[in-house]
Amino acid sequence: MTSIVFMGTPAFSVPVLRMLVEEGYNVLAVVTQPDRPVGRKKVLTPPPVKEEALRHEIEVLQPEKLTGSAELKRLQELNPDLIVTAAFGQLLSEEVLTLPQLGAINVHASLLPKYRGGAPIHQAVLDGEEKTGVTIMYMVKKLDAGDIISQVEVPITEQDTTGTLFDKLSAAGTALLKETLPSIVAGTNARTPQNPDQVTFARNISREQERIDWAKPAREVFNQIRGLNPWPGAYTTFDEASFKIWSAREVNGNSHAVPGEIIDTTGRFVVQTGDGQALELLEVQPAGKKKLAVDEFLRGVGQLYKLGDQFK
Protein backbone atom coordinates (compact mmCIF):
# COMPACT_ATOMS: atom_id res chain seq x y z
CA MET A 1 0.00 0.00 0.00
CA THR A 2 1.44 3.37 -1.06
CA SER A 3 2.07 5.65 1.91
CA ILE A 4 1.34 9.35 1.47
CA VAL A 5 1.80 12.55 3.41
CA PHE A 6 -0.80 15.07 2.30
CA MET A 7 -0.24 18.83 2.50
CA GLY A 8 -3.12 21.27 2.05
CA THR A 9 -5.05 23.98 3.85
CA PRO A 10 -8.31 25.44 2.39
CA ALA A 11 -11.61 23.87 1.38
CA PHE A 12 -10.21 23.40 -2.14
CA SER A 13 -7.95 20.66 -0.73
CA VAL A 14 -10.55 18.73 1.26
CA PRO A 15 -11.99 16.60 -1.58
CA VAL A 16 -8.44 15.63 -2.60
CA LEU A 17 -7.66 14.34 0.89
CA ARG A 18 -11.02 12.56 1.11
CA MET A 19 -10.37 10.81 -2.21
CA LEU A 20 -6.96 9.56 -1.06
CA VAL A 21 -8.55 7.99 2.01
CA GLU A 22 -11.47 6.49 0.08
CA GLU A 23 -9.14 5.01 -2.55
CA GLY A 24 -7.25 3.14 0.15
CA TYR A 25 -3.96 5.02 0.12
CA ASN A 26 -2.15 4.96 3.45
CA VAL A 27 -2.28 8.62 4.49
CA LEU A 28 0.30 8.74 7.26
CA ALA A 29 -0.15 12.39 8.19
CA VAL A 30 -1.59 15.69 7.04
CA VAL A 31 0.48 18.88 7.09
CA THR A 32 -1.53 22.10 7.13
CA GLN A 33 -1.27 25.69 8.27
CA PRO A 34 -1.74 26.60 11.95
CA ASP A 35 -5.19 27.52 13.27
CA ARG A 36 -5.90 31.21 12.57
CA PRO A 37 -8.23 33.88 14.06
CA VAL A 38 -11.30 34.28 11.83
CA GLY A 39 -14.05 36.90 11.68
CA ARG A 40 -14.66 40.06 13.64
CA LYS A 41 -14.44 38.19 16.93
CA LYS A 42 -11.13 36.61 15.90
CA VAL A 43 -12.21 33.10 16.80
CA LEU A 44 -9.29 30.66 16.51
CA THR A 45 -10.36 28.36 13.67
CA PRO A 46 -8.72 25.21 12.26
CA PRO A 47 -8.11 24.94 8.51
CA PRO A 48 -10.73 22.87 6.63
CA VAL A 49 -8.11 20.20 5.84
CA LYS A 50 -7.36 19.74 9.54
CA GLU A 51 -11.04 19.13 10.25
CA GLU A 52 -11.20 16.53 7.48
CA ALA A 53 -8.04 14.80 8.70
CA LEU A 54 -9.37 14.55 12.24
CA ARG A 55 -12.59 12.97 10.95
CA HIS A 56 -10.42 10.17 9.54
CA GLU A 57 -8.20 10.05 12.65
CA ILE A 58 -5.12 11.06 10.66
CA GLU A 59 -2.19 12.67 12.43
CA VAL A 60 -2.09 16.44 11.86
CA LEU A 61 1.07 18.57 11.75
CA GLN A 62 0.76 22.38 11.74
CA PRO A 63 4.15 24.08 11.47
CA GLU A 64 4.28 27.85 11.08
CA LYS A 65 7.24 27.06 8.84
CA LEU A 66 8.15 23.49 7.91
CA THR A 67 11.89 24.07 7.34
CA GLY A 68 13.90 23.29 10.49
CA SER A 69 10.82 22.37 12.50
CA ALA A 70 9.98 19.43 14.75
CA GLU A 71 7.27 18.59 12.21
CA LEU A 72 9.96 18.09 9.55
CA LYS A 73 11.69 15.58 11.80
CA ARG A 74 8.36 13.80 12.15
CA LEU A 75 8.02 13.62 8.35
CA GLN A 76 11.47 12.08 8.15
CA GLU A 77 10.40 9.48 10.69
CA LEU A 78 7.26 8.69 8.70
CA ASN A 79 9.30 8.29 5.48
CA PRO A 80 6.34 8.37 3.04
CA ASP A 81 6.46 6.93 -0.46
CA LEU A 82 4.88 10.10 -1.88
CA ILE A 83 4.02 13.66 -0.86
CA VAL A 84 0.82 15.12 -2.34
CA THR A 85 0.09 18.83 -1.99
CA ALA A 86 -2.94 20.92 -2.91
CA ALA A 87 -3.02 24.60 -1.93
CA PHE A 88 -0.76 24.07 1.07
CA GLY A 89 0.51 27.65 1.25
CA GLN A 90 4.22 27.12 1.93
CA LEU A 91 7.17 26.53 -0.37
CA LEU A 92 8.89 23.20 0.32
CA SER A 93 12.63 22.88 0.80
CA GLU A 94 14.84 20.48 -1.13
CA GLU A 95 15.06 18.44 2.07
CA VAL A 96 11.31 17.82 1.95
CA LEU A 97 11.05 17.39 -1.82
CA THR A 98 13.67 14.64 -1.92
CA LEU A 99 12.30 12.75 1.09
CA PRO A 100 9.78 10.44 -0.67
CA GLN A 101 11.05 7.88 -3.17
CA LEU A 102 8.17 8.62 -5.58
CA GLY A 103 8.70 12.36 -5.29
CA ALA A 104 6.41 15.22 -4.33
CA ILE A 105 3.49 16.17 -6.55
CA ASN A 106 1.14 19.14 -6.54
CA VAL A 107 -2.47 19.69 -7.64
CA HIS A 108 -2.23 23.19 -9.13
CA ALA A 109 -5.34 25.12 -10.19
CA SER A 110 -4.23 26.33 -13.62
CA LEU A 111 -3.00 25.05 -16.95
CA LEU A 112 0.71 25.44 -16.28
CA PRO A 113 2.95 27.12 -17.27
CA LYS A 114 0.20 29.77 -17.20
CA TYR A 115 -0.60 31.27 -13.78
CA ARG A 116 2.14 30.02 -11.52
CA GLY A 117 1.72 31.34 -7.99
CA GLY A 118 -0.74 31.68 -5.16
CA ALA A 119 -3.87 33.10 -6.85
CA PRO A 120 -4.33 31.27 -10.18
CA ILE A 121 -8.12 30.98 -9.84
CA HIS A 122 -8.61 34.65 -9.00
CA GLN A 123 -6.35 35.71 -11.85
CA ALA A 124 -8.09 33.59 -14.47
CA VAL A 125 -11.42 35.27 -13.66
CA LEU A 126 -9.88 38.74 -13.33
CA ASP A 127 -8.35 38.33 -16.79
CA GLY A 128 -11.65 37.26 -18.33
CA GLU A 129 -10.33 33.86 -19.38
CA GLU A 130 -12.79 31.48 -21.04
CA LYS A 131 -11.03 28.39 -19.73
CA THR A 132 -8.57 27.29 -17.09
CA GLY A 133 -7.83 23.88 -15.59
CA VAL A 134 -5.81 21.76 -13.22
CA THR A 135 -2.26 20.49 -13.53
CA ILE A 136 -0.74 17.55 -11.67
CA MET A 137 2.98 18.31 -11.54
CA TYR A 138 6.19 17.26 -9.89
CA MET A 139 7.37 19.78 -7.32
CA VAL A 140 10.76 21.45 -7.48
CA LYS A 141 12.24 24.20 -5.35
CA LYS A 142 11.31 26.90 -7.90
CA LEU A 143 7.67 28.00 -7.63
CA ASP A 144 5.31 25.81 -9.70
CA ALA A 145 8.09 25.07 -12.19
CA GLY A 146 8.18 21.26 -12.09
CA ASP A 147 7.43 18.81 -14.89
CA ILE A 148 3.79 18.34 -15.87
CA ILE A 149 2.30 14.88 -15.31
CA SER A 150 -1.30 15.45 -16.42
CA GLN A 151 -3.79 18.26 -17.08
CA VAL A 152 -7.50 18.80 -17.53
CA GLU A 153 -9.30 21.86 -18.93
CA VAL A 154 -12.28 23.50 -17.19
CA PRO A 155 -14.44 26.12 -18.97
CA ILE A 156 -15.16 29.47 -17.29
CA THR A 157 -18.63 30.90 -17.86
CA GLU A 158 -19.67 34.53 -17.42
CA GLN A 159 -21.70 33.42 -14.41
CA ASP A 160 -18.62 32.03 -12.67
CA THR A 161 -17.02 33.79 -9.75
CA THR A 162 -13.77 32.81 -8.13
CA GLY A 163 -15.90 30.94 -5.57
CA THR A 164 -17.78 28.81 -8.10
CA LEU A 165 -14.57 28.18 -10.03
CA PHE A 166 -12.82 27.03 -6.84
CA ASP A 167 -15.47 24.34 -6.48
CA LYS A 168 -15.23 23.27 -10.13
CA LEU A 169 -11.44 23.08 -10.07
CA SER A 170 -11.38 21.24 -6.76
CA ALA A 171 -13.66 18.57 -8.21
CA ALA A 172 -11.69 18.42 -11.47
CA GLY A 173 -8.37 18.22 -9.63
CA THR A 174 -9.60 15.45 -7.38
CA ALA A 175 -10.79 13.40 -10.36
CA LEU A 176 -7.57 14.02 -12.27
CA LEU A 177 -5.39 12.99 -9.33
CA LYS A 178 -7.45 9.84 -8.82
CA GLU A 179 -6.91 8.95 -12.48
CA THR A 180 -3.20 9.87 -12.47
CA LEU A 181 -1.96 8.38 -9.19
CA PRO A 182 -1.80 4.71 -10.30
CA SER A 183 0.67 5.58 -13.08
CA ILE A 184 2.79 7.63 -10.64
CA VAL A 185 2.93 4.71 -8.24
CA ALA A 186 3.81 2.36 -11.10
CA GLY A 187 6.40 4.75 -12.53
CA THR A 188 4.70 4.84 -15.94
CA ASN A 189 3.37 8.42 -15.87
CA ALA A 190 4.14 11.10 -18.42
CA ARG A 191 6.61 13.83 -17.50
CA THR A 192 6.67 16.98 -19.65
CA PRO A 193 8.93 19.98 -18.89
CA GLN A 194 7.19 23.36 -18.86
CA ASN A 195 7.86 25.76 -21.71
CA PRO A 196 9.64 28.75 -20.10
CA ASP A 197 8.46 31.07 -22.89
CA GLN A 198 4.82 30.54 -21.84
CA VAL A 199 5.22 31.22 -18.12
CA THR A 200 2.89 33.77 -16.48
CA PHE A 201 2.31 34.47 -12.80
CA ALA A 202 -0.72 34.87 -10.53
CA ARG A 203 0.56 36.49 -7.40
CA ASN A 204 -1.49 36.84 -4.22
CA ILE A 205 -4.18 39.51 -4.46
CA SER A 206 -3.03 42.96 -3.33
CA ARG A 207 -5.13 45.68 -1.74
CA GLU A 208 -4.61 47.79 -4.86
CA GLN A 209 -6.30 45.12 -7.00
CA GLU A 210 -9.42 45.29 -4.85
CA ARG A 211 -10.27 48.94 -5.58
CA ILE A 212 -12.45 49.63 -8.60
CA ASP A 213 -11.29 52.17 -11.16
CA TRP A 214 -14.52 53.32 -12.82
CA ALA A 215 -12.55 54.79 -15.72
CA LYS A 216 -11.88 51.24 -16.92
CA PRO A 217 -14.21 49.47 -19.37
CA ALA A 218 -17.36 47.84 -17.99
CA ARG A 219 -16.15 44.35 -18.91
CA GLU A 220 -12.91 44.83 -16.96
CA VAL A 221 -14.74 46.02 -13.84
CA PHE A 222 -17.28 43.20 -14.21
CA ASN A 223 -14.43 40.67 -14.26
CA GLN A 224 -12.85 42.36 -11.25
CA ILE A 225 -16.06 42.07 -9.24
CA ARG A 226 -16.60 38.39 -9.97
CA GLY A 227 -12.88 37.64 -9.71
CA LEU A 228 -12.80 38.95 -6.13
CA ASN A 229 -16.00 37.19 -5.06
CA PRO A 230 -16.19 35.69 -2.42
CA TRP A 231 -12.82 36.94 -1.21
CA PRO A 232 -11.57 39.59 -0.69
CA GLY A 233 -14.25 41.60 -2.53
CA ALA A 234 -14.05 44.51 -4.97
CA TYR A 235 -14.71 47.91 -3.44
CA THR A 236 -15.22 51.54 -4.31
CA THR A 237 -15.79 54.55 -2.05
CA PHE A 238 -18.71 56.90 -1.44
CA ASP A 239 -18.17 59.94 0.78
CA GLU A 240 -14.81 58.38 1.64
CA ALA A 241 -16.47 55.23 3.06
CA SER A 242 -15.89 51.76 1.60
CA PHE A 243 -18.64 50.29 -0.58
CA LYS A 244 -18.21 46.68 -1.67
CA ILE A 245 -19.77 45.28 -4.82
CA TRP A 246 -20.31 41.54 -4.93
CA SER A 247 -22.31 41.07 -8.13
CA ALA A 248 -23.08 43.11 -11.25
CA ARG A 249 -23.95 42.88 -14.92
CA GLU A 250 -23.08 44.95 -17.96
CA VAL A 251 -25.69 47.35 -19.36
CA ASN A 252 -25.80 50.34 -21.71
CA GLY A 253 -24.37 53.54 -20.29
CA ASN A 254 -25.11 57.26 -20.58
CA SER A 255 -22.87 59.21 -22.95
CA HIS A 256 -23.25 62.36 -20.82
CA ALA A 257 -22.18 60.72 -17.53
CA VAL A 258 -18.70 60.50 -16.03
CA PRO A 259 -17.09 57.27 -14.78
CA GLY A 260 -18.43 56.30 -11.36
CA GLU A 261 -21.60 58.38 -11.70
CA ILE A 262 -24.92 56.86 -10.59
CA ILE A 263 -27.15 57.02 -13.67
CA ASP A 264 -30.23 55.00 -12.65
CA THR A 265 -31.95 54.29 -9.32
CA THR A 266 -35.46 53.46 -10.62
CA GLY A 267 -35.81 49.83 -9.51
CA ARG A 268 -32.20 49.16 -10.38
CA PHE A 269 -28.85 50.71 -9.46
CA VAL A 270 -26.57 51.57 -12.38
CA VAL A 271 -23.09 53.11 -12.39
CA GLN A 272 -21.28 54.55 -15.41
CA THR A 273 -17.92 53.08 -16.49
CA GLY A 274 -15.15 54.52 -18.64
CA ASP A 275 -16.06 53.09 -22.03
CA GLY A 276 -19.52 54.62 -22.38
CA GLN A 277 -21.05 51.49 -20.88
CA ALA A 278 -22.25 50.86 -17.33
CA LEU A 279 -22.74 48.23 -14.64
CA GLU A 280 -26.01 47.37 -12.98
CA LEU A 281 -25.12 46.46 -9.39
CA LEU A 282 -26.93 43.37 -8.11
CA GLU A 283 -25.46 42.72 -4.66
CA VAL A 284 -23.74 45.42 -2.61
CA GLN A 285 -22.38 46.08 0.87
CA PRO A 286 -22.17 49.66 2.15
CA ALA A 287 -19.73 50.30 4.99
CA GLY A 288 -20.94 48.80 8.26
CA LYS A 289 -23.78 46.87 6.61
CA LYS A 290 -24.36 43.26 5.59
CA LYS A 291 -24.48 42.15 1.96
CA LEU A 292 -27.71 43.34 0.37
CA ALA A 293 -29.55 42.39 -2.80
CA VAL A 294 -30.05 45.61 -4.76
CA ASP A 295 -33.84 45.70 -4.28
CA GLU A 296 -33.41 45.55 -0.50
CA PHE A 297 -30.63 48.12 -0.72
CA LEU A 298 -32.81 50.56 -2.71
CA ARG A 299 -35.67 50.23 -0.21
CA GLY A 300 -33.34 51.13 2.66
CA VAL A 301 -29.95 52.80 2.85
CA GLY A 302 -29.83 53.06 -0.95
CA GLN A 303 -32.23 55.99 -0.79
CA LEU A 304 -29.26 58.08 0.31
CA TYR A 305 -27.58 57.52 -3.07
CA LYS A 306 -28.93 59.94 -5.68
CA LEU A 307 -28.73 60.33 -9.44
CA GLY A 308 -25.54 62.19 -10.31
CA ASP A 309 -23.71 61.10 -7.15
CA GLN A 310 -20.31 59.61 -7.92
CA PHE A 311 -18.34 56.65 -6.63
CA LYS A 312 -14.63 57.28 -6.42
Side-chain angles (χ1 to χ4, degrees):
M1 184 186 297
T2 303
S3 62
I4 291 174
V5 165
F6 180 74
M7 300 183 180
T9 299
F12 175 89
S13 316
V14 170
V16 181
L17 173 58
R18 189 179 301 133
M19 179 276 293
L20 293 173
V21 173
E22 291 174 352
E23 289 299 301
Y25 293 100
N26 181 20
V27 182
L28 301 173
V30 163
V31 186
T32 189
Q33 300 282 21
D35 297 1
R36 304 290 189 196
V38 172
R40 291 182 179 179
K41 295 185 178 179
K42 303 297 182 183
V43 177
L44 197 62
T45 304
V49 163
K50 177 182 179 179
E51 295 180 325
E52 182 69 17
L54 293 177
R55 276 193 283 270
H56 298 287
E57 299 182 341
I58 299 171
E59 180 179 353
V60 176
L61 307 175
Q62 293 181 272
E64 193 70 52
K65 185 178 180 183
L66 189 54
T67 302
S69 66
E71 288 84 358
L72 175 56
K73 292 181 180 178
R74 178 58 181 151
L75 288 186
Q76 291 167 335
E77 292 171 0
L78 292 170
N79 192 29
D81 297 320
L82 180 69
I83 290 175
V84 177
T85 73
F88 173 43
Q90 293 185 30
L91 286 173
L92 301 185
S93 67
E94 197 70 29
E95 191 175 16
V96 176
L97 296 175
T98 57
L99 178 62
Q101 65 176 26
L102 294 176
I105 63 171
N106 183 36
V107 182
H108 183 78
S110 80
L111 296 173
L112 290 171
K114 194 167 191 176
Y115 297 139
R116 293 180 183 177
I121 304 177
H122 287 84
Q123 200 62 53
V125 182
L126 289 169
D127 289 348
E129 297 282 359
E130 295 182 353
K131 69 176 181 180
T132 184
V134 179
T135 301
I136 309 295
M137 53 169 286
Y138 280 108
M139 299 181 72
V140 294
K141 198 170 181 180
K142 189 175 180 181
L143 179 66
D144 298 329
D147 291 348
I148 294 167
I149 303 170
S150 59
Q151 291 185 315
V152 63
E153 289 187 1
V154 174
I156 304 175
T157 71
E158 290 198 356
Q159 291 72 45
D160 274 320
T161 63
T162 287
T164 63
L165 197 56
F166 258 86
D167 293 341
K168 290 181 180 181
L169 292 172
S170 177
T174 300
L176 182 63
L177 182 63
K178 179 179 176 180
E179 176 186 311
T180 304
L181 268 173
S183 66
I184 294 173
V185 172
T188 59
N189 59 280
R191 186 166 188 152
T192 306
Q194 295 185 39
N195 184 341
D197 296 330
Q198 296 177 356
V199 171
T200 62
F201 288 93
R203 294 178 173 85
N204 291 335
I205 300 299
S206 67
R207 183 64 174 166
E208 291 75 23
Q209 287 176 281
E210 299 170 29
R211 184 161 189 159
I212 294 170
D213 178 357
W214 292 104
K216 291 182 176 179
R219 168 60 52 148
E220 197 168 328
V221 180
F222 169 72
N223 289 337
Q224 180 184 11
I225 291 166
R226 66 195 188 105
L228 298 178
N229 181 355
W231 180 89
Y235 79 98
T236 184
T237 58
F238 186 83
D239 286 343
E240 299 185 354
S242 175
F243 186 99
K244 286 198 170 186
I245 302 172
W246 295 103
S247 179
R249 64 177 164 227
E250 296 171 274
V251 294
N252 292 329
N254 181 338
S255 60
H256 303 292
V258 298
E261 182 179 339
I262 299 169
I263 60 173
D264 192 350
T265 60
T266 56
R268 61 180 192 159
F269 194 61
V270 182
V271 180
Q272 184 77 16
T273 55
D275 59 347
Q277 297 299 103
L279 287 178
E280 180 182 352
L281 310 190
L282 303 176
E283 187 178 32
V284 299
Q285 188 175 11
K289 304 292 183 181
K290 65 179 182 179
K291 292 180 183 180
L292 297 168
V294 74
D295 56 346
E296 184 181 1
F297 167 75
L298 289 172
R299 290 196 303 269
V301 69
Q303 295 178 51
L304 300 174
Y305 298 74
K306 306 298 184 182
L307 284 178
D309 285 347
Q310 189 176 4
F311 287 105
K312 300 290 187 179

